[in-house]
Structures are given as C-alpha cells and as structure tokens.
Amino acid sequence: MGDPNLSSLSLQTLLSEKVGQLMDWTGRRAVIRMNGEKFRRFVKAPPRNYSVVIMFTALQPQRQCGVCKQADEEYQILANSWRYSTAFTNKVFFATVDFDEGSDVFQMLNMNSAPSFIHFPAKGKPKKSDSYELQVRGFAAEQLARWVGDRTDVQIRVIRPPNYAGPLMLGFLLAVIGGLAYLRRNNLEFLYNKNVWAFSALCFCLIMTSGQMWNHIRGPPYAHKNPTTGQVSYIHGSSQAQFVAETHIVLFFNSAVTMGMVLLHEAATSDMDIGKRKIMCVAGIGLVMLFFSWLLSIFRAKYHGYPYSFLLS
C-alpha cells in the first residue's frame, strides 16, 4: 500500500505544474490554443482546481466559417479583458480548440457544429448550463462575460480596443450637413420640406422595427452554416433569437410593403391621368400582397404553430 501523504504530494506537484504551464501560456497570449493532447492533459485529466472556458471553432479558410471568425474576435476581447484585469487569477483560463487541430476532441464530445463555447468546471463534468446558448445570446464579449460570471463567479469587465469609426462617421455626416447648409444659406426652404422629414422618419422607423437595436446589443452571427451539410440558414428558427441577415431581409420586406402602401395612396390622391394611376394601384397591391405574404411566412417559421398565412404557406 502506497503512502497517502506521498500520493497527495505528487498530486499537488502535478497540479502546480499544470497551473504553472497554463499561466505561462496565458502570459504569452490570452487564449490558449489546444489540441487533443493538451485538452486531455489540462482539461479532462485530474487534478484540476481551475475552470477552463473553451471555444470550439473552425477558423481554417477551407472551412468557410465566417461566423467563427467574428466569434473569435469577440472571444479574444473577452480573454484579453480578463488577462489584463487587476483581478486576474488562475481561477479560470480561456482556450480554443480548432477542428483541424483537435478533431478528436470534437469526436470525443460528439460536437458537430462550430463555433461553440463550453465551460469545464474545476470539479465534476460540464452540465447543460455550461454550454453557451450561442443562437439565443449571440457571441458579443459582454454576453460571454455574463455567462462566465454565472458559471465561475468571476466578473470580467470587458474593455474593447478604441474604435474611431463611429465618431469619424458622425463627424463626416455633420460636416456634410453643415456644408450643405452653408452652401444653401440663402435658401433654406429645403429644411421645411415635409417629404424630406417624412422620408427620414420612415427610414428610422424601418431600421428600428427590423431588429437592428437587438443586433447592436446582443451581437448575433450574420447567419449560420451547418458544418455537416454546408447549408446556410439566414432565418433563425427560434422566436427568442435572430441573425443579422434576418434583420436585413425583414427590413427589405417592410420597405417593400411600405412602398406599396405609398403607391396606393398616390394612386388614390394624385392628379395624374387615370392610366398611370391604375398602374400605380396594381403595383402597390402587388408589392403589399407579395411581401406581406413573405413576412407572414417568416413569422410562421419562428413562431411554430402560428395558424395564419397569405399566398405563401
């Protein structure tokens, strides 16, 4: 029978070596790249007193996973925010497993999609809540930080690199508006043009009702590509989430319906000859019926069991 004290000392030495190696890798780059061997040694094999958050991805160009690249950028921001935080400890580490470097890990965990995020706790096996709901919560670093906080009690304040694109675009827009106002300083009647303000208000309403604000807050993927079949989905199948492409589609459909209604109004109130008014009326009815039918079909795809449809089932 072996000496229990010696066995305990060996485990402590092994744990110290593992933590030291992980700290060394983290010091070089915030996200540790793992293959099958590293995963089995540092994540699956005991002893372990630290949590590991792993992003399973497929970043190689031949995989054509655009979402993986976007998610990786947010994941890097999260990991760097933790690595350079004053609260940084060896309680949790961030790692990534690429399919082309660790396909055996994907097979071990029966994973068939990427990107995916899983938290491996310090004790026990991952539970259902340790798998990040990417399609519902999106992959924004802030959302990932909240999930990590729920699973590990480690609160990470996300710090993004400075982005001057927004202020520059705002400055450019203000400069253009100011320049136009200066050039037409002797004739500012266009500011009182109701059509200009109506069009601006309509564009704002269409953008906001299409879900752009939700995208800004949640940071969802543009679309989803099934790595097994290669099929790309632009419409999310759940009513609790959406893709960026989906909001663009809805924005276009809403715009087409609105254009149809405008044509119908003009056909009923304008002073044009009867022939042109008939054409506008038919075009307006066609736009409203066709694109409203497509909107209903999208609604039915997201709210399963919705009983109504129009033209398209």
Side-chain angles (χ1 to χ4, degrees):
M1 181 179 295
D3 188 343
N5 293 328
L6 182 60
S7 177
S8 176
L9 181 61
S10 299
L11 289 175
Q12 288 293 332
T13 302
L14 178 59
L15 178 60
S16 178
E17 291 176 354
K18 291 171 69 173
V19 172
Q21 181 65 77
L22 289 170
M23 289 293 288
D24 181 58
W25 285 334
T26 303
R28 300 176 188 176
R29 53 187 303 170
V31 177
I32 302 169
R33 295 182 62 173
M34 287 190 173
N35 53 22
E37 180 183 353
K38 290 180 179 179
F39 177 82
R40 285 185 286 271
R41 179 185 176 189
F42 292 95
V43 180
K44 295 291 290 183
R48 182 159 55 86
N49 63 351
Y50 51 85
S51 295
V52 183
V53 178
I54 298 183
M55 173 184 174
F56 296 89
T57 185
L59 291 172
Q60 296 302 315
Q62 66 269 23
R63 300 300 174 187
Q64 297 182 351
C65 183
V67 179
C68 292
K69 184 177 181 181
Q70 298 174 39
D72 182 67
E73 292 174 355
E74 292 294 310
Y75 191 57
Q76 295 287 342
I77 291 174
L78 172 66
N80 278 294
S81 298
W82 170 238
R83 171 62 185 86
Y84 296 104
S85 168
T86 55
F88 174 73
T89 64
N90 58 13
K91 184 177 181 180
V92 58
F93 295 97
F94 291 91
T96 182
V97 175
D98 192 279
F99 180 79
D100 290 281
E101 297 176 0
S103 58
D104 52 336
V105 180
F106 278 72
Q107 295 176 2
M108 183 192 310
L109 300 176
N110 295 320
M111 298 183 62
N112 56 10
S113 64
S116 299
F117 299 89
I118 299 180
H119 165 248
F120 293 86
K123 295 182 180 179
K125 296 182 179 180
K127 302 177 181 177
K128 183 178 180 181
S129 53
D130 287 307
S131 295
Y132 183 71
E133 295 177 324
L134 179 67
Q135 306 299 338
V136 176
R137 306 178 69 168
F139 50 69
E142 290 78 8
Q143 292 294 332
L144 289 168
R146 295 189 187 98
W147 171 67
V148 171
D150 292 338
R151 305 314 307 152
T152 66
D153 292 328
V154 171
Q155 304 302 319
I156 303 175
R157 179 172 173 264
V158 174
I159 302 176
R160 292 182 174 274
N163 185 354
Y164 301 105
L168 286 175
M169 286 300 297
L170 178 60
F172 176 76
L173 180 62
L174 292 176
V176 170
I177 295 175
L180 290 175
Y182 176 77
L183 293 174
R184 301 193 60 177
R185 59 188 180 278
N186 298 322
N187 183 11
L188 297 178
E189 293 182 0
F190 71 96
L191 293 176
Y192 303 98
N193 190 318
K194 62 180 182 181
N195 291 331
V196 172
W197 290 106
F199 179 77
S200 302
L202 185 60
C203 290
F204 178 79
C205 291
L206 288 172
I207 291 173
M208 298 306 292
T209 56
S210 66
Q212 297 297 329
M213 186 57 68
W214 194 92
N215 291 343
H216 180 72
I217 296 173
R218 293 295 185 91
Y222 186 82
H224 175 69
K225 182 177 181 179
N226 190 313
T228 304
T229 63
Q231 182 180 2
V232 180
S233 299
Y234 298 101
I235 306 296
H236 199 286
S238 171
S239 61
Q240 303 298 316
Q242 67 183 18
F243 297 132
V244 174
E246 181 180 329
T247 63
H248 294 166
I249 293 171
V250 171
L251 173 61
F252 176 73
F253 286 180
N254 281 335
S255 300
V257 171
T258 304
M259 177 59 69
M261 297 178 69
V262 170
L263 289 175
L264 288 173
H265 177 268
E266 288 297 314
T269 59
S270 68
D271 297 329
M272 293 186 294
D273 63 82
I274 189 67
K276 292 182 179 179
R277 292 170 65 182
K278 285 183 178 180
I279 294 174
M280 293 175 64
C281 182
V282 172
I285 292 174
L287 285 172
V288 171
M289 292 178 62
L290 180 61
F291 286 96
F292 184 72
S293 299
W294 276 333
L295 280 172
L296 272 183
S297 66
I298 292 176
F299 192 83
R300 283 166 57 88
K302 297 181 70 64
Y303 291 84
H304 305 286
Y306 184 74
Y308 304 111
S309 62
F310 184 63
L311 293 185
L312 304 172
S313 59

